[in-house]
Amino acid sequence: MKNIVLLGATGSIGKSCLSVIRQNKEDFHLYGIGFGSNVDKAQEIIQEFNPNYIFAAQSQADRSHNFWQVNSNILSNEDELQGLIQDPNVDIVISAISGFAGLKASFFAIEAGRTILIANKESIVAAGDILMPLAKKKNAEIIPVDSEHNALYQCLPLEKNLNEISKILITASGGPFREDSLSDLRGVSLNDALKHPTWSMGAKITIDSATLVNKCLELIEAHYLFNIPESQIEIVVHPQSIIHSMITFIDGSTIAQMSNPSMEVPISNALGMGKRLPINFKEIDFSELNLSFEPVAHDRKMIFDIAREVCNKKGNLGVIFNASNEIAVEAFINKNIDFVDIYEVIQRTFNCFSCSKVRTIDEIFEYDKEARIQAEKVIKSLH
Ligand code: NDP
Ligand code: MG
């Protein structure tokens, strides 16, 4: 029986994780959960899974809710979160908080040498230079949950001989605006941007999918997780989201991982750690399948250029890219900027910084703060 701490339990990834755990109760115990402010959902989870510990991050959560009366073991500050993650009874930490807010949890887990299932790609993008060497030093195993990276993880030869890889192909659905040129996107509504054709996810990642910034984050994530130069990573648009990514090896073979789009598939793979766990899934009907592939639209190339620069220069550039995107997406969701301005905010913020080395996690937080301030200034200048 493995004890799991699931951070981001009330979210979309959290829901899929709980479903996999529910289907494999004899193997996993939900030891702890963490969430932001959705006390209704948290209470449902507590009633079903009875976790030993509950971490509730956000003080604005409704304090009159009976959640606060019926649960006595609520943790709420960062030290308590760290204590939970470092509890020797914990076997697996799932990092599924959304955005940069998930970094502390990823850092605590890696620092404690825990096995970490990483959905929170923003941690790796912003702090890859700190987290990857730390994981090596502390012997922390990082297992990717993001469907593309889990697909690559499944395709990698067991001995992980990276010299045998010719290139990695990360697939992209293309999002709701795949067929539109950038100039057609001025004025698109939040609702249009939230209509993802193949995946149902949290709001922030859904907007990232519409801008293709999600794919940029995934490019950087793959670069760090698999230690592969960006020049060996290709993005290919595959609207059906059946092939989740592929590796071409030096002998000309390409291996792909396929499933109908469901996050339960990569989550069960990650939780199984080498063992295939039984879950309910919808089989691919190959007789109905029509797979297509196309390059990324040329007018979105500028955002991939930034992501590739992040991979090549590293240091503080990942955290700046991530922070500028988070501020831009928030401004779009709050209807303060246009959809296409997201690109403008990222580019202009990114260009305000030069590349510097980062040595500590605190420096990452400093750069994050500075980049957010700069991105807010850019947004003001757009009005
Ligand atoms: P959601 O918005 O659905 O869920 C986010 C979760 O994080 C919620 O449980 C939320 O709590 C919690 N949370 C938010 N802020 C904080 C905070 N400050 N402290 C603690 N908990 C917090 O996001 P997703 O599940 O879609 O995404 C989660 C992560 O997984 C992201 O990094 C995303 O990029 C990644 N991912 C998601 C995929 C998907 O299919 N959804 C696919 C691949 C990667 P509450 O709601 O209670 O406030
Ligand atoms: Mg993905």
Side-chain angles (χ1 to χ4, degrees):
M1 178 73 84
K2 290 202 167 107
N3 281 332
I4 296 179
V5 170
L6 172 57
L7 302 167
T10 53
S12 160
I13 289 284
K15 185 176 174 198
S16 299
C17 289
L18 292 171
S19 171
V20 173
I21 294 169
R22 187 181 292 118
Q23 294 172 70
N24 289 276
K25 275 197 180 123
E26 61 296 342
D27 288 335
F28 302 107
H29 167 63
L30 193 65
Y31 188 74
I33 61 165
F35 70 103
S37 57
N38 190 344
V39 281
D40 278 330
K41 176 64 68 178
Q43 193 54 40
E44 269 176 40
I45 297 168
I46 292 162
Q47 254 147 21
E48 180 180 352
F49 291 91
N50 193 21
N52 305 51
Y53 294 98
I54 302 154
F55 170 69
Q58 276 158 27
S59 50
Q60 70 264 36
D62 177 8
R63 293 280 165 172
S64 62
H65 196 283
N66 84 333
F67 167 86
W68 302 98
Q69 277 81 57
V70 295
N71 300 297
S72 54
N73 48 351
I74 300 169
L75 317 174
S76 58
N77 64 44
E78 226 169 75
D79 288 344
E80 290 173 323
L81 172 65
Q82 186 170 17
L84 169 60
I85 290 172
Q86 299 187 344
D87 180 332
N89 293 315
V90 173
D91 297 298
I92 296 172
V93 176
I94 305 180
S95 173
I97 292 171
S98 98
F100 187 78
L103 174 57
K104 265 285 156 71
S106 302
F107 175 71
F108 289 150
I110 292 173
E111 201 187 27
R114 291 273 166 275
T115 295
I116 173 169
L117 269 50
I118 193 114
N120 180 262
K121 62 191 88 185
E122 295 89 347
S123 296
I124 302 292
V125 171
D129 273 9
I130 304 292
L131 297 184
M132 298 314 291
L134 187 65
K136 210 169 178 185
K137 187 172 153 201
K138 301 285 184 176
N139 221 1
E141 190 172 6
I142 302 180
I143 304 179
V145 163
D146 210 345
S147 57
E148 295 76 5
H149 305 73
N150 184 266
L152 296 170
Y153 185 75
Q154 293 196 45
C155 295
L156 264 187
L158 280 179
E159 66 274 23
K160 294 193 177 170
N161 187 354
L162 300 176
N163 294 331
E164 292 183 351
I165 293 177
S166 170
K167 70 174 173 185
I168 276 178
L169 294 117
I170 297 180
T171 53
S173 71
F177 305 132
R178 179 174 62 86
E179 291 175 338
D180 301 301
S181 69
L182 196 56
S183 52
D184 293 336
L185 295 182
R186 185 157 287 282
V188 293
S189 71
L190 177 59
N191 270 347
D192 289 337
L194 286 173
K195 278 183 202 138
H196 197 282
T198 49
W199 296 97
S200 156
M201 310 178 282
K204 190 259 175 185
I205 184 175
T206 306
I207 302 301
D208 287 348
S209 299
T211 55
L212 297 190
V213 169
N214 182 49
K215 229 24 77 172
C216 295
L217 298 174
E218 292 184 352
L219 176 97
I220 303 166
E221 184 187 10
H223 163 71
Y224 274 117
L225 289 180
F226 296 95
N227 197 18
I228 292 276
E230 61 77 22
S231 54
Q232 281 175 267
I233 306 175
E234 194 177 312
I235 308 293
V236 57
V237 175
H238 163 47
Q240 299 80 20
S241 300
I242 296 290
I243 294 184
H244 301 300
S245 278
M246 307 178 245
I247 300 182
T248 299
F249 294 92
I250 49 175
D251 61 358
S253 282
T254 296
I255 299 194
Q257 186 268 342
M258 307 167 81
S259 72
N260 276 316
S262 158
M263 283 310 294
E264 291 190 29
V265 175
I267 289 166
S268 68
N269 175 269
L271 273 173
M273 290 201 270
K275 184 179 155 198
R276 297 278 172 184
L277 302 176
I279 55 165
N280 291 321
F281 65 96
K282 184 169 165 266
E283 275 184 31
I284 298 174
D285 181 351
F286 283 89
S287 63
E288 292 282 303
L289 212 54
N290 215 339
L291 302 184
S292 60
F293 304 92
E294 57 195 66
V296 174
H298 197 74
D299 59 9
R300 316 300 208 275
K301 190 175 163 288
M302 71 322 187
I303 204 70
F304 286 91
D305 288 346
I306 294 184
R308 289 187 185 277
E309 188 178 338
V310 171
C311 296
N312 286 322
K313 297 186 178 160
K314 300 201 248 282
N316 58 346
L317 295 186
V319 61
I320 288 159
F321 177 52
N322 181 68
S324 61
N325 178 54
E326 289 194 12
I327 291 293
V329 170
E330 194 182 287
F332 172 65
I333 289 175
N334 293 331
K335 305 199 163 80
N336 288 334
I337 60 170
D338 196 273
F339 180 80
V340 291
D341 289 337
I342 295 176
Y343 299 106
E344 187 76 14
V345 173
I346 296 172
Q347 283 175 298
R348 282 171 54 182
T349 306
F350 193 76
N351 289 338
C352 290
F353 291 84
S354 52
C355 179
S356 303
K357 255 188 162 6
V358 280
R359 286 166 204 83
T360 64
I361 198 77
D362 291 341
E363 284 180 19
I364 300 281
F365 282 91
E366 272 308 307
Y367 279 116
D368 175 74
K369 210 189 281 174
E370 281 179 36
R372 282 169 196 269
I373 293 169
Q374 189 56 42
E376 296 284 11
K377 279 187 195 159
V378 173
I379 288 172
K380 274 206 182 108
S381 76
L382 292 174
H383 292 307

